[in-house]
């Protein structure tokens, strides 16, 4: 299926997972452990992991004893995630621009899973859906890149070889977006994809959160939950109610 939305194509290909194979699941698990402890989430908490990809955070959260639902637009990823399902771990295809059918005690949006859309209205719509999908006193955990840090440390060109595929990567910031162009030759074909994430810094995100009525309770700058520092933090992690 070809669509104008880059994320529908790229995240549904096997190449996306090959390129990011080395992403650090140890870090991801440490983050989940730290955040659930900090928020003192009881084991009865029902967490929505949105978008969940192939479910790496969902599976780990479930192993900690939580009831978890994972949702993602990428059908291929959900198909794989479903292999891990159990009574307290479910996955479904869901577009986060659509309202949820259920409510949850916590919603996690992890690993730069936001800012894909042109119009600010769509960003706000997603946040509003999340807000509406939270039970009273429920938490929203938002884990995004630190745009200012990306800008100051932009790696304009890079080559990565993974599983014998040479990925040529270029990055640029223009028109309010961070672009990552990825081209490679695989399976007898040249491929080219562009990841595009909106340049959303701390100030802009705070404005978004305010607009939908979220109250920010904590701001962290990395998965160890150190304080956010605009010059040095690699993540922007907002916790809201
Ligand atoms: C950077 S990945 C992160 C996935 C997961 N949180 C993780 O850490 O592995 C972003 C995910 O967003 C999903 N996605 C993009 N647009 C979406 C939408 N409108 N609704 C739901 N999921 C979407 C993609 O399919 C992809 O799996």
């Amino acid at each position: 299926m070809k669509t104008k939305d880059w994320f529908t194509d790229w995240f549904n290909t096997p190449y996306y997972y090959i390129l990011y194979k080395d992403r650090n699941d140890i870090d991801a698990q440490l983050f989940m452990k730290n955040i659930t402890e900090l928020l003192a989430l009881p084991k009865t908490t029902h967490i929505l992991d949105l978008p969940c990809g192939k479910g790496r955070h969902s599976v780990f959260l479930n192993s900690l004893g939580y009831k978890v639902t994972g949702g993602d637009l990428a059908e291929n990823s959900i198909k794989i995630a479903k292999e891990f399902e159990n009574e307290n771990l479910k996955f479904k295809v869901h577009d986060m621009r659509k309202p949820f059918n259920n409510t949850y005690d916590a919603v996690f949006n992890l690993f730069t899973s936001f800012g894909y859309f042109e119009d600010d209205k769509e960003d706000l719509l997603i946040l509003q859906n999340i807000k509406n999908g939270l039970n009273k006193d429920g938490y929203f955990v938002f884990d995004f890149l630190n745009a200012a840090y990306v800008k100051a440390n932009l790696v304009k060109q890079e080559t990565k070889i993974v599983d014998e595929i040479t990925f040529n990567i270029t990055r640029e910031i223009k028109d309010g977006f961070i672009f990552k162009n990825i081209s490679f030759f695989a399976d007898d074909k040249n491929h080219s994809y562009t990841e595009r994430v909106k340049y959303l810094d701390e100030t802009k995100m705070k404005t978004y959160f305010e607009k939908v009525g979220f109250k920010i309770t904590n701001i962290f700058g990395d998965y160890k939950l150190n304080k956010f520092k605009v010059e040095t933090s690699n993540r922007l992690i907002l916790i809201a109610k």
Side-chain angles (χ1 to χ4, degrees):
M1 182 178 74
K2 269 272 162 213
T3 100
K4 67 179 175 60
D5 295 331
W6 67 266
F7 45 88
T8 317
D9 288 341
W10 172 230
F11 289 131
N12 232 347
T13 73
Y15 308 115
Y16 163 72
Y17 285 101
I18 294 173
L19 176 60
Y20 292 109
K21 199 175 170 173
D22 64 349
R23 71 174 139 203
N24 199 332
D25 281 355
I26 310 269
D27 265 9
Q29 296 183 358
L30 178 82
F31 177 37
M32 292 301 91
K33 223 169 165 297
N34 289 341
I35 208 76
T36 49
E37 278 172 20
L38 178 107
L39 301 177
L41 295 181
K43 298 294 179 192
T44 50
T45 305
H46 185 183
I47 301 171
L48 173 67
D49 177 16
L50 180 78
C52 63
K54 285 200 271 189
R56 61 196 184 119
H57 295 97
S58 301
V59 170
F60 183 70
L61 285 164
N62 177 246
S63 79
L64 294 179
Y66 295 105
K67 179 175 179 181
V68 185
T69 299
D72 200 289
L73 187 64
E75 288 167 19
N76 291 345
S77 298
I78 290 298
K79 209 161 141 193
I80 295 164
K82 272 187 170 294
E83 288 169 23
F84 300 100
E85 278 191 339
N86 62 43
E87 203 187 320
N88 281 319
L89 176 63
K90 301 286 177 208
F91 292 98
K92 56 183 173 195
V93 173
H94 180 79
D95 186 330
M96 56 187 168
R97 290 168 291 185
K98 301 260 160 62
F100 314 151
N101 297 324
N102 237 321
T103 57
Y104 301 88
D105 304 313
V107 178
F108 289 11
N109 178 280
L110 306 170
F111 205 66
T112 319
S113 295
F114 192 79
Y116 299 153
F117 314 105
E118 190 85 43
D119 197 328
D120 284 9
K121 278 192 197 131
E122 280 189 295
D123 294 343
L124 287 166
L125 176 69
I126 292 167
L127 293 175
Q128 193 64 63
N129 286 339
I130 292 172
K131 178 100 191 342
N132 296 345
L134 275 173
N135 291 329
K136 190 173 175 289
D137 291 328
Y139 279 108
F140 176 39
V141 175
F142 176 78
D143 160 36
F144 197 64
L145 51 78
N146 173 5
Y149 181 84
V150 170
K151 190 177 184 180
N153 298 280
L154 195 71
V155 180
K156 291 197 174 143
Q157 197 156 12
E158 189 188 2
T159 302
K160 272 182 92 181
I161 303 173
V162 192
D163 287 0
E164 294 174 5
I165 301 176
T166 304
F167 292 93
N168 294 303
I169 301 168
T170 59
R171 294 182 183 82
E172 63 179 329
I173 299 178
K174 68 168 189 205
D175 305 330
F177 284 87
I178 302 166
F179 290 87
K180 183 169 171 181
N181 304 301
I182 303 151
S183 46
F184 53 94
F185 182 83
D187 299 316
D188 302 322
K189 274 203 298 196
N190 284 314
H191 302 259
S192 183
Y193 293 95
T194 300
E195 287 181 10
R196 195 198 65 173
V197 175
K198 201 178 278 179
Y199 189 94
L200 297 166
D201 60 11
E202 186 194 7
T203 312
K204 175 95 176 181
M205 281 314 306
K206 280 182 171 167
T207 312
Y208 272 179
F209 272 48
E210 254 170 45
K211 275 195 180 151
V212 299
F214 269 132
K215 194 172 171 304
I216 296 172
T217 58
N218 307 78
I219 305 184
F220 301 111
D222 60 35
Y223 293 150
K224 291 185 184 146
L225 306 189
N226 287 307
K227 203 167 169 282
F228 178 76
K229 292 197 185 116
V230 70
E231 304 85 20
T232 52
S233 295
N234 60 358
R235 307 300 297 166
L236 170 67
I237 299 165
L238 303 179
I239 315 296
K241 278 189 144 188

